[in-house]
Amino acid sequence: MHGTIEIDNAARQRAAREEAYATPLSQFHPGAPRHFRDDTLWPWFERLRAEEPVHYCTNAPIAPYWSVTKYNDIMHVDTSHQIFSSDSTLGGISIRDAPQGYDWPSFIAMDEPRHSAQRKTVSPMFTPDHLDELAVLIRGRTQKVLDGLPRNETFNFVERVSIELTTQMLATLFDFPFAQRRKLTRWSDVATALPKSMIVASEEERRSELNECAATFAAMWNERVNSEPRNDLLSMMAHHDATRQMDRDNLIGNILLLIVGGNDTTRNTMTGSVLALNQNPDQFAKLRANPALIDTMVPEVIRWQTPLAHMRRTALQDTELGGKTIKKGDRVVMWYVSGNRDDEVIERPNEFIIDRKRAKIHLSFGFGIHRCVGMRLAELQLKIVWEEMLKRFERIEVVGEPKRVYSSFVKGYESLPVRIS
């Protein structure tokens, strides 16, 4: 099985490289979701970094956009919020504008001063003291999930481990009814799904499911507003001056931001870590011999996976970047997935190295005012799951091709077939 998977993947990568280097740069659409579903994005970004690191795409079924592909240029855009806006009224944070009626404002899609005022309301959830409390809960749940896995039969790691653990955590963060927690996973998937992803059958279905999400959280919000403050994200927003008067759209925008942020990043990196260590058995042997390397493996796998492939900004003024003139109103896409493979900043970037020096300089959490508010919790969950897996299993063997998400925003997995002997 392994040999067949490797041969198929090698052939697919060769074909992708030939296509990427035969295609004129003027016809590049690096954000095409098929590249991400097929894991064939790499040569397209490799060529852009080498030949046109700031590239204007006019050859796409979406509006024209700039691609920023090198680490330092991405850092410049990410930390220059006075030039590059995240505001939802200008298009928001994804390469594709949110369809009308779905452009709910959230603090990640706001500029200053509203952004920081709303972000501060949830930041107490992620303090070191509170993370220490959560660690005990995370470890107990992780042990229970891992102890319930089947032996000597194939199962989907995404479904049985990654989704289950991240959804349990989300339910805790929101104090959401635990028995209904899988609704959170579904709403996250529906919120980010592209029409061709087959996650929803129609726009009517998407609207219906997100209306259910909005109604559920509106009812919970009303209950929290009228109760004593509690230690959950919803209550924190309900009792803070910056967010307690939010309208329904702003509420659902922030809820979906926190659901997607808490779901996709950890879930897809958790799955990606199993895949990466199967693809790099020398690194797994190194980890087995020295489990303390989990501390550097976690940021390395977050770089390797880059669970959100990009963030988008909109230029507030004419500006220069990489020798190109970006006009006011242009959409500018920071490809974190490309910057994380930039060999001018990251040594041997195409290799997965669990004891990498300066492993935390990756771009996956963003930089500047929009740096991921929950990044320490994501790292904690990944650290604990690997500590507990190493205690229990000699190996988790990948026994088939992963099925990747059809998206150039969420870089993740629908399934990963594995087997534990």
Side-chain angles (χ1 to χ4, degrees), residues 18 33 48 55 102 107 112 162 165 248 264 291 293 352 403:
E18 289 170 8
L48 285 176
H55 170 270
Y102 295 97
F107 62 78
E112 299 293 39
S162 302
L165 288 177
R248 190 172 184 269
D264 284 319
L293 291 176
F352 179 66
K403 183 180 180 185

Side-chain angles (χ1 to χ4, degrees), residues 109-125:
M110 290 177 181
D111 294 334
E112 299 293 39
R114 288 180 72 209
H115 159 264
S116 288
Q118 293 202 5
R119 177 186 167 110
K120 283 175 185 171
T121 66
V122 299
S123 57
M125 180 63 77

Side-chain angles (χ1 to χ4, degrees), residues 220-418:
M220 291 173 61
W221 174 267
N222 291 335
E223 181 261 322
R224 303 292 157 84
V225 164
N226 296 309
S227 303
E228 289 297 309
R230 307 208 302 250
N231 201 17
D232 66 82
L233 292 172
L234 207 54
S235 187
M236 287 175 177
M237 290 190 288
H239 291 276
H240 196 288
D241 289 343
T243 43
R244 64 182 305 151
Q245 302 300 328
M246 284 189 298
D247 61 26
R248 190 172 184 269
D249 282 357
N250 195 176
L251 170 63
I252 191 60
N254 278 334
I255 294 297
L256 286 172
L257 161 64
L258 293 165
I259 292 173
V260 171
N263 175 53
D264 284 319
T265 304
T266 313
R267 157 181 156 188
N268 291 315
T269 308
M270 204 176 285
T271 306
S273 66
V274 172
L275 182 62
L277 287 165
N278 266 262
Q279 292 173 334
N280 297 273
D282 61 320
Q283 299 300 304
F284 185 62
K286 200 188 292 184
L287 184 66
R288 265 252 156 263
N290 183 8
L293 291 176
I294 289 173
D295 286 344
T296 49
M297 186 202 78
V298 165
E300 171 67 349
V301 82
I302 293 169
R303 177 193 76 87
W304 179 257
Q305 179 60 34
T306 316
L308 289 178
H310 76 263
M311 282 284 171
R312 173 261 183 104
R313 302 289 184 258
T314 303
L316 294 172
Q317 62 192 58
D318 291 1
T319 188
E320 296 284 322
L321 184 66
K324 303 292 181 74
T325 300
I326 295 172
K327 296 290 190 182
K328 179 181 178 179
D330 284 357
R331 67 185 67 200
V332 180
V333 178
M334 300 176 287
W335 289 108
Y336 295 150
V337 73
S338 176
N340 277 338
R341 300 295 178 103
D342 185 350
D343 62 8
E344 290 185 9
V345 176
I346 297 170
E347 188 178 356
R348 294 155 60 198
N350 294 317
E351 296 179 43
F352 179 66
I353 304 170
I354 67 165
D355 52 355
R356 181 180 291 280
K357 304 292 186 286
R358 299 172 66 233
K360 291 195 172 187
I361 67 165
H362 64 78
L363 293 165
S364 301
F365 290 132
F367 278 93
I369 62 170
H370 291 287
R371 189 157 171 80
C372 176
V373 69
M375 57 187 247
R376 296 289 174 244
L377 177 58
E379 291 172 336
L380 179 64
Q381 288 176 277
L382 291 162
K383 175 182 166 72
I384 289 173
V385 79
W386 270 104
E387 285 174 347
E388 296 300 326
M389 287 199 295
L390 286 177
K391 290 175 189 174
R392 282 164 175 75
F393 314 132
E394 275 302 310
R395 185 176 177 217
I396 299 178
E397 182 185 7
V398 174
V399 294
E401 280 270 19
K403 183 180 180 185
R404 292 178 169 85
V405 176
Y406 182 80
S407 171
S408 59
F409 184 57
V410 174
K411 186 171 173 287
Y413 306 89
E414 292 182 18
S415 64
L416 181 70
V418 302

